[in-house]
Structures are given as structure tokens and as C-alpha cells.
Amino acid sequence: MNNSKLKLLELFGGIGACTAALKRLGIDFEVVDYVEIDKYAVASYNAINETNFDSQDITKWDKEIEVDIIMSGSPCQDFSVAGHGKGGDKGSGTRSSLMYENIRIIEKLNPKYVIWENVKNLLSKKHIHNFNAYLEAMGQLGYNNFYQVLNSKDYGIPQNRERLFCVSVLGEYSSFCFPSPIQLQLKLKDMLDYEVDKKYYLTAEQVDRIKLSSYEQNKRRIQEKDYCDTLCAHDSVGPKCVRFGNSYRNLTPKEYWRLMGFSDEDFEKVAKVNSKTQLYKQAGNSIVVNVLECIFKKLFY
């Protein structure tokens, strides 16, 4: 990587996993703009980074700026197996159809690098036509596209979170290789606090209700492996649970943020500006910082 400062545009920026990864790697960069419509996520981003961005609607975003890299984690709900399967066809008006705003902005700004993250189910028979449309459009704009499903537990975080990453590099002879998996050193128990408020503990009746539930997603709330199942935005309604001796308790918002690769220092900042419900939701909506770190190492070093 050369010595010039990297100019970053974060689209659907959430709590700023991209910003966090670049900071942790010590890369010299500046956030030229950050686009996120959720005012609560914006408040968290500003608290962590000491910025003062306002919420922005990507469909109305049309600024004249210079950028080197665009990071986008466009909405996945309508592609996800946990969603209602509405899809993301262009012009459909679903949240996931906002992926096409990426192409509009990329065409306008012509950055050297684009990273796009979404759920693995985008590759399913039902939805892959949208992914293929994205690849075709990027190819027409002069990008070489490289994509792979990466699991967070292969990159340092004990969470079984599979996500599709597409790295696009401008130029006919550009290339990129995804990072190889690394052996997981941490277990779920290493991410937990052993003294938490009693309010996080479940009653015997609550545990029985979870275990006897006919709703598969509810049953999977109880985590009994060395890693955690995928954290989701809707976990704010029913967070994942862990067992301590004969007791069960919900994972705390701080533990959720750790399992997304954020530091306790970052969490303490956001806990001052957002509710517990929002903090669960924001973690579930984010990208795992450690995975992006590994991608950036391959891209820039």
C-alpha cells in the first residue's frame, strides 16, 4: 500500500465495522462520508469515533467526493433465511433492493476498491440472479470481482457466522485472494463475563419454555458449543443464552459486541447513548471486525 491517505466511504455504515478494522490495522485513512439512515446506529458510530455525522437516506445521497474505497453492508433481511424471502429485485421497494444504490454510487465515484457484504443465502437459487446482476454491472464498470463465503469462527471470533463477501478491484489486470482460515484460539466462554446483573438470568419456567418451543429459532437460543450461533438483529427480543452450572442467562449486549469484534472500550462509549435493545440490534446487524481486518491485510499488504 502506498503512503497516501486512504479515502473511505461507508455505505449502510451501521456501527462502523470497516472504520474499526482500518483503525486496528493502523492504516492511514479518513472517512470522507458515512451513510446510515438509522439514527441510533449513527449515534453509536459518532460515540465511538468522536464524529458528528447525521443520518442519511442512501436513495437521496448524491455528493461530489473523491474516494478510494467503498464499504457496503446493504440490508440482508429480504435475502436471509430468517426473513420473509421478499428478495431484492431492482425497483421492488424491499430493503434488500437497496443493493442497487451501491451500483449507482460506484458508477458516480469510481473508487479503486469496493467491498460488499451480505448473507450467504444471496447465492441460493431464489436470489442469485440479483447477485449475478451486481457482478455483471460491476464488470461493465471495469471491476474484477472476487467473492467467497467467510465464517467468523475461521477468523478469530467464536461465532458461527457465514457471510458472503465480494471484493471488487478496478482494472483489467487486478487480482485478489481471500485470507485463509486460521485456527480458532478463543472459545465462547472466553468472551463472557462471570459476574453480570441478575436481570440477565432466566427463571426455570423461561428455560423450559425455550426448550419445549416448537419454534426452531427459539430453541437455538441456548448456546452449548465452543462457539456461538449467528447473532441476529432480532435477538433483542430473545438474546442467545448460555449455561452457568445449573443456571442459564442471556448474553449481555457487551458480550454481543465482543462477538462482533468490537472492544469493550467501544462498547462503553455506545452504552452511554443507546438502549440495551438498540445495542443488541446493532451488533446483530454489523459485520465482524476481525473478518474485515483479514480482508484488508490481503488487500493492502
Side-chain angles (χ1 to χ4, degrees):
M1 186 176 172
N2 59 35
N3 293 323
S4 61
K5 182 175 287 191
L6 188 75
K7 295 180 176 65
L8 166 68
L9 170 61
E10 283 213 62
L11 302 179
F12 308 98
I15 53 179
C18 181
T19 297
L22 292 171
K23 277 185 176 180
R24 198 168 296 170
L25 290 172
I27 291 175
D28 188 19
F29 76 104
E30 63 174 313
V31 182
V32 181
D33 204 3
Y34 156 87
V35 183
E36 171 59 58
I37 199 168
D38 185 331
K39 65 180 182 180
Y40 300 106
V42 175
S44 286
Y45 184 94
N46 284 336
I48 293 171
N49 299 293
E50 299 180 357
T51 48
N52 59 352
F53 288 109
D54 294 320
S55 60
Q56 300 187 78
D57 182 344
I58 197 167
T59 65
K60 299 175 182 176
W61 192 95
D62 193 31
K63 297 181 182 179
E64 298 289 344
I65 58 175
E66 290 186 8
V67 299
D68 300 308
I69 180 169
I70 290 178
M71 175 75 222
S72 173
S74 60
C76 66
Q77 296 95 329
D78 303 303
F79 294 134
S80 173
V81 293
H84 297 293
K86 294 179 181 177
D89 290 357
K90 189 174 183 179
S92 65
T94 67
R95 288 168 295 180
S96 290
S97 69
L98 290 171
M99 62 174 279
Y100 289 97
E101 294 296 328
N102 289 333
I103 297 169
R104 175 181 66 82
I105 293 170
I106 291 162
E107 183 175 12
K108 177 183 178 67
L109 301 181
N110 202 38
K112 181 173 176 60
Y113 309 104
V114 178
I115 301 177
W116 182 42
E117 179 262 9
N118 216 283
V119 290
K120 176 184 177 182
N121 203 48
L122 185 53
L123 298 178
S124 67
K125 184 177 179 180
K126 182 175 182 178
H127 300 303
I128 196 169
H129 65 281
N130 279 302
F131 184 56
N132 288 337
Y134 175 82
L135 296 179
E136 181 179 355
M138 292 295 285
Q140 290 174 352
L141 293 175
Y143 290 87
N144 277 344
N145 302 302
F146 311 88
Y147 64 91
Q148 192 168 315
V149 174
L150 304 181
N151 195 323
S152 302
K153 67 185 179 68
D154 293 328
Y155 299 95
I157 291 291
Q159 182 190 166
N160 184 33
R161 187 184 191 88
E162 291 185 301
R163 289 293 184 267
L164 172 64
F165 288 85
C166 183
V167 176
S168 301
V169 186
L170 189 62
E172 183 179 358
Y173 301 107
S174 56
S175 62
F176 175 76
C177 293
F178 279 94
S180 300
I182 57 177
Q183 186 173 356
L184 185 62
Q185 302 295 324
L186 296 172
K187 296 182 179 180
L188 176 57
K189 66 180 182 180
D190 298 318
M191 313 297 280
L192 306 180
D193 289 318
Y194 283 81
E195 292 186 13
V196 303
D197 194 294
K198 291 181 180 178
K199 67 184 179 183
Y200 290 103
Y201 280 85
L202 304 178
T203 65
E205 290 77 15
Q206 287 174 316
V207 175
D208 287 342
R209 210 157 41 235
I210 292 172
K211 289 183 175 180
L212 296 173
S213 173
S214 60
Y215 182 39
E216 189 62 30
Q217 189 119 12
N218 203 28
K219 286 183 180 179
R220 287 171 53 199
R221 281 180 58 193
I222 298 177
Q223 307 300 298
E224 298 180 311
K225 301 182 287 292
D226 286 337
Y227 53 83
C228 185
D229 289 324
T230 303
L231 303 182
C232 303
H234 60 251
D235 284 355
S236 57
V237 178
K240 303 285 192 291
C241 316
V242 288
R243 182 173 180 173
F244 279 84
N246 295 322
S247 300
Y248 291 83
R249 72 162 175 85
N250 291 329
L251 293 178
T252 67
K254 180 185 282 189
E255 290 164 343
Y256 264 57
W257 278 60
R258 285 178 187 159
L259 286 162
M260 297 305 295
F262 286 86
S263 69
D264 285 2
E265 181 183 2
D266 286 342
F267 179 80
E268 296 302 335
K269 292 175 182 177
V270 301
K272 295 176 181 177
V273 299
N274 264 310
S275 68
K276 184 175 69 172
T277 297
Q278 288 296 331
L279 296 174
Y280 279 124
K281 178 183 175 182
Q282 290 168 14
N285 270 334
S286 185
I287 303 170
V288 173
V289 176
N290 299 52
V291 178
L292 287 177
E293 278 189 77
C294 292
I295 289 174
F296 288 140
K297 285 179 183 177
K298 296 291 288 187
L299 196 59
F300 297 135
Y301 293 104

